[in-house]
Amino acid sequence: ALLGLFILGPAFGLHFPFPRILLVIPLTALVGMSAYCFSTFLAGVIIRKREVTGLLVNATIVILMTLCGINVPVSFYPGWLAWISRCLPITNGLEAIRDVIAGAPAATIAAHVGAELLVMSGWLALALVTFGAFVRAGQRDGSLEYAA
């Protein structure tokens, strides 16, 4: 993603303000971690239902690309749907990356970063809960074995 941005961006006329553009690297890592926490939550929910995994993964990718501002700007949505999109990973981090490229004030970027960190923490907490439930259920019914 970063190579595509840094190589193709200038080809399409994007101006990258140096050294601010270097902030895009940790922001991209933040977005990746946030998406990972969300994906781990989903995995914890469907781990025992392998037959629907492919469908759920593909549907989730389309939904995230639609709601998180990748394909459609979040400002296009009604207030309630924009609020939901801000609770999903990627949305706030993507806005922070766009703000860096646009030269927005540091406070605006920091607000989006803080929101993405909060969203990531929430999805991580939910992922821990779902995997904890999976482990407890596996211990109860004997489907989870301990390997030495």
Side-chain angles (χ1 to χ4, degrees):
L2 289 173
L3 278 176
L5 176 68
F6 290 137
I7 292 172
L8 293 178
F12 287 96
L14 284 177
H15 171 70
F16 296 135
F18 189 80
R20 284 178 62 128
I21 194 61
L22 296 177
L23 290 173
V24 169
I25 296 168
L27 290 175
T28 302
L30 173 64
V31 168
M33 286 300 301
S34 185
Y36 176 79
C37 290
F38 178 76
S39 299
T40 303
F41 160 74
L42 285 179
V45 170
I46 64 163
I47 198 163
R48 290 184 177 261
K49 296 166 182 52
R50 296 260 184 206
E51 63 276 0
V52 298
T53 301
L55 175 65
L56 185 65
V57 167
N58 288 326
T60 300
I61 290 170
V62 171
I63 290 168
L64 285 177
M65 288 181 65
T66 302
L67 293 181
C68 293
I70 296 169
N71 293 335
V72 178
V74 174
S75 60
F76 176 78
Y77 296 127
W80 64 271
L81 192 54
W83 184 86
I84 290 171
S85 73
R86 298 222 179 272
C87 295
L88 294 172
I90 304 169
T91 306
N92 300 295
L94 181 60
E95 288 188 7
I97 291 170
R98 288 178 175 158
D99 286 344
V100 166
I101 293 171
T108 303
I109 297 167
H112 290 303
V113 169
E116 189 72 18
L117 286 167
L118 184 64
V119 167
M120 180 181 73
S121 299
W123 288 114
L124 177 60
L126 287 171
L128 293 172
V129 167
T130 58
F131 270 95
F134 166 71
V135 168
R136 285 188 300 280
Q139 290 170 335
R140 265 193 319 272
D141 65 17
S143 63
L144 185 65
E145 298 180 15
Y146 294 105

